[in-house]
Amino acid sequence: MTTSEKTITTRRTLGRSGIDVSALGVGCWAIGGPWIMDGQQAGWGEVDDDESVRALHAAIAGGVTFFDTAANYGAGHSEAVLGRAVADRRSEVVLATKFGYGVDEAGKSVSGVEVTPDAVRRSCAESLRRLGTDWIDLFQLHVGDLEPARAEDVRAVLESLVDEGTIRAYGWSTDDVERARVFAAGPHCASIQHQLNVLEDNPAMLDFCESENLASVNRGPLGMGVLTGAYDRGATLSATDVRGTGAAWMKYFIDGRPNPEWLARAAAIREVITSGGRTPAQGALAWIWGRSPATVPIPGVRTVAQAEANAAALQHGPLTQEQMAEVARLLA
Ligand SMILES: NC(=O)c1ccc[n+]([C@@H]2O[C@H](COP(=O)([O-])OP(=O)(O)OC[C@H]3O[C@@H](n4cnc5c(N)ncnc54)[C@H](OP(=O)(O)O)[C@@H]3O)[C@@H](O)[C@H]2O)c1
């Protein structure tokens, strides 16, 4: 790759905000540890906070500057761990968090949609405290299916928070283009966070983000681990891990085991996406970058090794157009 090609593939501007980030982010759901949402385990099991901090530092050392968390994750614990990790380098990183639910920090539980103006402001203040910062770079609505009329009211509060200097920009974590359109009407909307991975394309949302000059922040880029090659048909996840709870919405794992259909499809494209010495996880990220220049995948990590391996994907860059076409052909 030439230097200019490398810049194109390793950096992104977060939509209209002008905020510069690495083309790869880190997702901080798993490092929040255990928490309960509506009576169900929603964390990824026990975590070692020191290892989480080391992993976040490894990501930064590998060139990552963008971190995505939420008030929900660990009922505030993920934000606190992220805040600890970046305390001495706040201006070098871009922090994104999410709001929209009632969080009981002490009880480690989350319940109920809370998006009144007062609730949004309160949630913002609590995230600032836990992150140990004076400003949030990207404040995202976490309630993916909120009614559009209520979202308009939320957007108005977010514009006020931008004017007051508490947040720099905002976005919505939603898979619905019509909802995304409601937020896109606000001048300081910078991004839509949506599901995207090599087995779950979303052309409509990508087209929308490109046409509206919004960053496409991609959650689930590794299929919650199924696309990394780390899980085979015999793997079992415990019920203390959200992937092992058997929840109906959990498509990557069924009854605590990797979805065999996903494993088979991942195996079918492995040779193409691992070309040039990429690991399967790096290949999955390369597919996302090949899909659109608006994309910023945010793979979750729990260990230094995962953070280093994912950051190294930046150096490989996107799949070529020929490889993208071959993946599409194999999955058709
Ligand atoms: N509604 C929402 O807004 C929403 C929903 C979901 C996610 N998100 C955001 O998106 C982020 C990413 O999504 P996700 O965490 O669901 O799933 P993901 O990024 O697809 O998968 C993350 C998991 O893959 C495994 N992994 C990561 N790097 C690896 C590597 N190099 N080699 C092998 N395994 C690796 C780890 O799991 P192991 O435990 O198997 O090691 C890791 O926890 C979240 O952290 C969160 O910030 C937002």
Side-chain angles (χ1 to χ4, degrees):
M1 265 192 289
T2 66
T3 308
S4 62
E5 279 169 341
K6 215 167 193 176
T7 309
I8 291 166
T9 56
T10 59
R11 309 299 306 177
R12 291 282 190 268
T13 302
L14 268 191
R16 313 156 182 170
S17 70
I19 300 173
D20 174 73
V21 293
S22 51
L24 180 78
V26 163
C28 297
W29 178 7
I31 64 168
W35 55 289
I36 301 292
M37 183 156 189
D38 297 330
Q40 282 246 319
Q41 181 52 246
W44 294 52
E46 291 296 336
V47 277
D48 173 350
D49 292 345
D50 292 338
E51 178 68 5
S52 300
V53 168
R54 283 193 291 271
L56 296 173
H57 287 170
I60 294 170
V64 172
T65 63
F66 182 57
F67 295 85
D68 176 81
T69 182
N72 283 15
Y73 303 159
H77 191 65
S78 171
E79 288 184 327
V81 172
L82 176 58
R84 182 182 140 199
V86 303
D88 61 349
R89 55 196 90 182
R90 174 66 185 92
S91 57
E92 294 162 33
V93 295
V94 172
L95 300 184
T97 192
K98 309 189 200 81
F99 66 92
Y101 294 95
V103 173
D104 173 4
E105 256 180 73
K108 289 266 175 225
S109 70
V110 172
S111 61
V113 171
E114 293 190 2
V115 292
T116 61
D118 280 353
V120 175
R121 285 180 172 279
R122 196 169 51 245
S123 188
C124 184
E126 287 166 2
S127 288
L128 287 169
R129 170 179 56 78
R130 289 187 293 254
L131 287 164
T133 181
D134 295 331
W135 79 96
I136 290 165
D137 297 291
L138 184 69
F139 201 38
Q140 304 162 105
L141 174 58
H142 205 162
V143 189
D145 59 355
L146 191 72
E147 300 87 333
R150 290 175 81 191
E152 284 184 26
D153 295 340
V154 174
R155 191 188 69 208
V157 186
L158 294 170
E159 284 291 336
S160 304
L161 290 172
V162 173
D163 291 343
E164 293 158 25
T166 320
I167 68 173
R168 293 174 75 192
Y170 59 85
W172 190 349
S173 182
T174 182
D175 292 316
D176 177 18
V177 173
E178 289 318 307
R179 285 181 165 80
R181 202 179 296 284
V182 173
F183 259 39
H188 295 97
C189 178
S191 63
I192 297 299
Q193 182 172 141
H194 62 97
Q195 202 66 22
L196 188 76
N197 61 54
V198 64
L199 299 185
E200 267 185 312
D201 201 355
N202 192 341
M205 189 64 93
L206 289 171
D207 287 350
F208 179 74
C209 288
E210 286 182 20
S211 68
E212 292 287 330
N213 189 17
L214 298 171
S216 152
V217 177
N218 315 123
R219 56 174 135 83
L222 306 178
M224 295 183 94
V226 170
L227 300 177
T228 65
Y231 293 96
D232 60 22
R233 290 182 77 124
T236 319
L237 286 143
S238 93
T240 58
D241 184 322
V242 65
R243 298 171 293 180
T245 55
W249 58 267
M250 175 57 61
K251 55 194 149 191
Y252 313 105
F253 292 83
I254 298 172
D255 294 329
R257 290 176 179 276
N259 182 335
E261 202 183 304
W262 273 65
L263 287 178
R265 286 162 67 78
I269 56 167
R270 178 147 311 155
E271 195 179 324
V272 183
I273 68 169
T274 57
S275 63
R278 294 182 178 92
T279 65
Q282 291 169 340
L285 298 172
W287 180 86
I288 289 177
W289 289 319
R291 199 58 194 79
S292 160
T295 53
V296 186
I298 48 167
V301 296
R302 288 197 288 192
T303 66
V304 169
Q306 290 173 347
E308 286 176 346
N310 294 347
L314 283 166
Q315 304 313 318
H316 288 284
L319 294 187
T320 64
Q321 285 311 306
E322 293 73 31
Q323 291 165 336
M324 294 295 288
E326 181 62 5
V327 169
R329 192 187 66 74
L330 289 166
L331 294 177

